[in-house]
Amino acid sequence: MSPSDSAAAPVLWEELVTAALLGTDRRTPPVEAAGRDAPVALLDAAAVQTVRRRAGLRPAPAAPRPEPAAVDTRPLLPPAAARRLTMLLSDRPATGGGGRRGSAPDLMELLPQWLALANERGFAPPPEALPPLLDAARGRTDLRPAALRFAGPRALWLARLNPDWRFALRAAPGGGAALPSPAEPEGVERLWQEGLFAERVALLTALRAHTPAKARELLDTTWTTERAEDRLMFLDSLRTGLSAADEPFLERALADRSRNVRSTAAELLSALPDSELAGRMAARAASCVVVDPTAETATIMVEAPHECDAGMERDGMVAKAPAGRGERSWWLGQLVEAAPLDTWTGRLGGRGPEEIVALPVADDWRAELHAAWCRAAVRQRDPLWARALLGAPASPEAGGPGAVSLAERAKLLATLDKEERATWVAGFIAAHGLSEAFQLLGVCAVPWTEPLGRAVVDALNIARDAGSYPWSFSGVMGLAERCLDPAEATRLDALTATPDEPEDASPGAGGYWAEAFQRLAGTLRLRATIREELTAP
Amino acid sequence: MVGPTVDDMTQQGVRWTADQVLALAPDVASRKAGSKLGAAGPWSEAGSSDEGTVWGLCKGSGSKPYQTVIDLADAAGPAYKCSCPSRKFPCKHALGLLLLWAGGDGAVPTSQAPDWAEQWLAGRRKRVEDKRSAGGGSSTAGDPEAARRRAERRAERITAGATELEQRLADLLREGLASAERAGYGPWEETAARMVDAQAPGLAARVRELGAIPGSGPGWPVRLLEECALLHLLDQGWLRRGELPEGLAATVRSRVGLPGSPDGPPQRDSWLILAQYDTGDSRLTTRRVWLYGTRSQQIRLLVSYGAAGRAPELTLPVGLALEAELSLYPGAGQLRAALGEQFAPPAPTATRPRGRTPSQAAARYGEALHNDPWLDSYPLTLERVIPTPAQNTDDDNSSIWQLADADGDLALPLTPAFTSRPGLWRLAALSGGAPVTVFGELGHRGFTPLTAWPEAEGAAVALC
């Protein structure tokens, strides 16, 4: 605001300030002393001027108003759900803790589920919840996609005003300006030609999800003029909707100047079992792996390649092995990984995947060969081979460090449908307990199926009876809180009491377990409530 | 923050929101600890009654669970009882239990209070009843002659203090304000202590604030001169209070720090709770609650205090309306009042305060200074204003914000302090570039928003 003084007043005020700053001994104030001391006369005049200035304050000229935010047409959250959101957002993880987690639910951990559900139901947030929501998304990148989708257009409007929330503009293509519809070729063309890199990636991704062929054609128009690192990112977006129609384009990309682009193109081609590249790899791989005709029992013989020629390199193979690996086994791995899995039934005597996996392998090649098949099954999303390579969940080999690592097993599981995945993991836990189960549980669909949930709760119960402390299982416990079906809460009630301590148990473990189970049951109930609150009336 | 809705009314009065519960917490640590306990896990036998009592057993580290019971029925504020040894008040168990109850997910069902809770409730209600029937009696008894002599002695002390302060100010102006920057904070602290001895806490507080101004950023000599001049004005007002009109004399007395008593006639209204916020230091928390008479259209202020570690007892949920009587404190243009009889607990209302344009609001602040020149800010509601970012032309080009008239070309700047608070972003989010209604305090430093309403219908959003 600005003081609305008459012409003389500002001069007077400034002279008063100067005199006050220097002192009346050095500067006589411009006021009538009339028998008073100069300082008192100065204070009198200053008091009049101060009140005068304040009483006369006037509004300032308004700055240009911001453009109004785009209208959010989604229905507003029901009040109970809005209160819950406030509660979830105000629960900041305890700082400097690290110790016991107590028996109360970890609210922040429920936010991803809450957001997914709210998005599924298509609700809009109350505007005043946007700042804490953006702050939460700022701190946790994993929350961003769901949080920004839920936050809607007004969050992007806000993000343009607050530098702390810039990330929202980067994540949202076009700084919030809507992407042109795929049905609007001119808009698409303009953004592709003039947009920033992030906008173009977003455009290509969106277009690819809508009409894969259009996206590829669009990319092809400017392909040769793009920078190498950009080409790599654009090529990556072709993973969605990959089909045989992409083969000619990918074949050309095999001759790209950049090695990374070449190898990505080769990887994409090898995921197309009918592509020429897949055929070339099949032929190369087939000559390396045979069933030994001379052996008494059928045995796989492996003759790893002796060289990595220019043709192989063009097809995306990396000639130089990483330190500590033999060149030939390195080449073999890449060949088998890129060869279509269908090849092997014909090549290995008409056997199906399970029979092939069961065959003995000569000369210690088994680990190398099976690992390459695993990568191929994951890349080609082949459930038959994945099932064969996983084997029976209860088999002793599944529990220990076998040919197939836990990480690879988790990836193989991801190619199976969710029922089968859950059943396999349930069987695994029943046979081997929880100590290796964390990664496998992570790929199971939420909420867990009943058999899987039961297997986890039973295994936790067994671990408790065995006298260990609950924090040895804190990872699985945390997953269970988020993934168990809320309907299981009632079955947990019996476990929430503190049991009598057996003699051989760790001291105090019973109480900690009761606490952990209380938190688990409490979290499940809370999730059930959240679900109810988000159900539109 | 989301206000309670009419739906909630079907259960035990108004179910509180989590924010309202957390506002009871005496400090940040309690807030956090209470939030953790706001889940079903540690609680057993929790329940609530229709009269507004909540109880439960909370499992702690010991073998015996803590017994926690809260009485929300008394409109003077909640009362708590917990068997835990904590000296925080309310303790984390009471907060957790209230949060659980506020969550409304069936963990605190309506039921019959157990004996241990019933005993305390009955005892408490009886004490309140006794106090009420005894109240208004002759507790203020005493010899009126002695009281008059005490008041006289105090007035003499204040006069001595004010005279000394005048001398101190004159010396400062003779030496020059530049010397204040060199001298630092020490002399001010000493003068403030002397004003405390003179039983003039209002003067002491102003002196302490003076001490913080030198070297406090660009323009400090202007601010220091302004505050010195106003302090001089207050000293002179006190020394010549006999010559002042009664209203202004009362204002001077209360500004100097003499306690007044709310002797205005009781004014009954349905008071919309506009805003509630706390200020203070480690020793004392001051809570201000702004109210708006939905019938009288007048604004009133309730002030309550909490000693270290305790939240002030009075808690009123923003956005609800309270049918009650208020009595004003003395002083011209005085807004501060005391809460008298309450006829019903706070209930939802669709009423919003009547608002003004930025120009009208600025003029209103000027008028208010006429009654009380020491007024730092004045409560006002702005209607149809748009929160707008602007460039700061005085300072570096740091950003400032305005509330711009949606139908004109004038704007009130927001105070720099508010611009760095989270409330700014709640306000901006609520607006989204559209006009909003904003209640807040307008002063010479700018406007401090406290509560806002969206243009369309919608609940009040607290910004403080």
Side-chain angles (χ1 to χ4, degrees), chain B residues 113-416:
Chain B
D115 284 346
W116 57 266
E118 195 53 60
Q119 266 173 18
W120 178 76
L121 285 166
R124 190 190 119 70
R125 296 222 166 118
K126 182 161 182 310
R127 281 197 300 279
V128 171
E129 206 51 47
D130 291 350
K131 209 165 120 194
R132 198 164 285 159
S133 51
S138 53
S139 60
T140 53
D143 183 355
E145 180 59 22
R148 198 184 55 76
R149 278 202 307 274
R150 271 200 307 277
E152 250 170 39
R153 272 203 304 279
R154 180 165 185 185
E156 281 164 20
R157 284 212 188 96
I158 296 176
T159 301
T163 312
E164 185 188 337
L165 189 52
E166 280 293 275
Q167 192 56 49
R168 175 88 178 74
L169 288 173
D171 289 349
L172 174 65
L173 270 294
R174 193 173 289 119
E175 287 278 305
L177 300 181
S179 67
E181 194 180 17
R182 289 192 295 273
Y185 193 73
W188 295 110
E189 193 49 44
E190 196 186 312
T191 310
R194 295 191 60 81
M195 292 305 117
V196 171
D197 291 344
Q199 291 186 293
L203 294 180
R206 285 187 165 269
V207 169
R208 234 176 258 124
E209 279 168 30
L210 276 189
I213 297 177
S216 65
W220 70 263
V222 171
R223 288 196 295 280
L224 185 56
L225 177 58
E226 283 179 341
E227 292 308 320
C228 285
L230 288 174
L231 186 52
H232 166 70
L233 189 65
L234 185 55
D235 283 337
Q236 291 298 322
W238 173 262
L239 296 174
R240 296 192 225 161
R241 62 193 182 281
E243 302 162 40
L244 298 180
E246 178 42 38
L248 189 54
T251 302
V252 168
R253 279 196 296 273
S254 88
R255 287 283 174 194
V256 164
L258 278 181
S261 55
D263 53 7
Q267 187 185 2
R268 179 170 174 168
D269 205 329
S270 172
W271 298 99
L272 168 64
I273 299 145
L274 286 174
Q276 169 180 310
Y277 67 97
D278 294 348
T279 52
D281 50 33
S282 56
R283 283 168 301 181
L284 185 73
T285 306
T286 305
R287 172 167 293 172
R288 288 181 176 78
V289 180
W290 286 110
L291 302 172
Y292 174 81
T294 55
R295 295 192 285 273
S296 63
Q297 303 197 339
Q298 283 173 333
I299 287 187
R300 293 289 179 263
L301 172 67
L302 301 177
V303 181
S304 58
Y305 300 97
R310 286 185 167 217
E313 288 217 355
L314 184 69
T315 295
L316 293 172
V318 170
L320 303 190
L322 175 70
E323 183 75 28
E325 281 178 348
L326 300 184
S327 297
L328 277 175
Y329 279 81
Q334 178 65 266
L335 299 178
R336 184 177 168 194
L339 187 57
E341 188 172 352
Q342 298 161 53
F343 302 98
T349 175
T351 313
R352 294 178 180 189
R354 201 171 56 91
R356 301 162 202 267
T357 65
S359 310
Q360 289 166 342
R364 187 71 195 83
Y365 170 61
E367 286 162 33
L369 284 174
H370 173 80
N371 285 322
D372 182 354
W374 300 278
L375 204 57
D376 267 328
S377 62
Y378 193 75
L380 287 159
T381 306
L382 301 176
E383 215 162 61
R384 291 189 54 74
V385 285
I386 301 175
T388 302
Q391 290 296 310
N392 191 347
T393 44
D394 308 343
D395 209 342
D396 44 20
N397 46 2
S398 64
S399 81
I400 54 165
W401 282 72
Q402 302 177 331
L403 289 175
D405 191 343
D407 312 302
D409 45 18
L410 292 175
L412 294 175
L414 298 183
T415 51

Side-chain angles (χ1 to χ4, degrees), chain A residues 228-386:
Chain A
E229 55 265 51
D230 295 2
R231 284 202 302 278
L232 187 63
M233 284 295 287
F234 290 140
L235 196 60
D236 213 50
S237 60
L238 295 189
R239 272 178 213 283
T240 321
L242 189 67
S243 75
D246 299 317
E247 193 183 345
F249 177 78
L250 292 173
E251 271 288 338
R252 270 184 286 134
L254 283 179
D256 199 274
R257 293 186 300 281
S258 149
R259 202 185 74 189
N260 286 333
V261 172
R262 287 199 302 271
S263 68
T264 303
E267 192 197 324
L268 289 173
L269 280 168
S270 70
L272 293 170
D274 298 325
S275 68
E276 284 180 25
L277 176 133
R280 292 194 293 273
M281 294 309 254
R284 289 181 188 122
S287 68
C288 299
V289 181
V290 292
V291 177
D292 183 358
T294 62
E296 245 169 67
T297 49
T299 302
I300 292 180
M301 300 273 296
V302 173
E303 177 70 18
H306 289 274
E307 59 164 357
C308 180
D309 61 31
M312 289 154 92
E313 281 200 68
R314 183 180 175 278
D315 283 348
M317 283 184 49
V318 177
K320 187 163 165 39
R325 279 201 70 172
E327 271 186 336
R328 293 183 59 202
S329 81
W330 169 245
W331 294 331
L332 175 80
Q334 295 183 77
L335 275 183
V336 174
E337 181 183 352
L341 287 162
D342 299 351
T343 315
W344 301 109
T345 298
R347 179 69 191 162
L348 302 175
R351 292 178 174 87
E354 272 172 41
E355 290 168 282
I356 293 173
V357 171
L359 286 175
V361 183
D363 302 332
D364 294 336
W365 280 104
R366 185 169 185 274
E368 200 72 52
L369 186 62
H370 280 209
W373 274 334
C374 280
R375 294 195 298 275
V378 170
R379 187 190 284 192
Q380 296 168 35
R381 310 202 60 77
D382 189 325
L384 284 177
W385 272 86

Side-chain angles (χ1 to χ4, degrees), chain A residues 1 20-26 39 42-44 47 54-55 59-65 68-69 104-105 127-128 154 157 161-162 529, chain B residues 1 36 39 105 170 173-178 226-227 229-230 232 369 388 402 404-405 408-411 413 425 428-430 432-433 443-444:
Chain A
M1 288 192 286
L21 197 55
L22 297 175
T24 52
D25 282 354
R26 292 182 198 82
L42 170 60
L43 282 168
D44 281 349
R54 290 185 181 180
R65 322 291 146 79
E128 63 272 19
R154 190 167 292 201
W157 180 90
L161 299 173
N162 187 341
T529 311
Chain B
M1 169 173 143
K36 286 252 175 273
D105 44 13
L173 270 294
R174 193 173 289 119
E175 287 278 305
L177 300 181
E226 283 179 341
E227 292 308 320
L230 288 174
H232 166 70
L369 284 174
T388 302
Q402 302 177 331
D405 191 343
D409 45 18
L410 292 175
W425 295 105
L430 186 72
H444 50 94

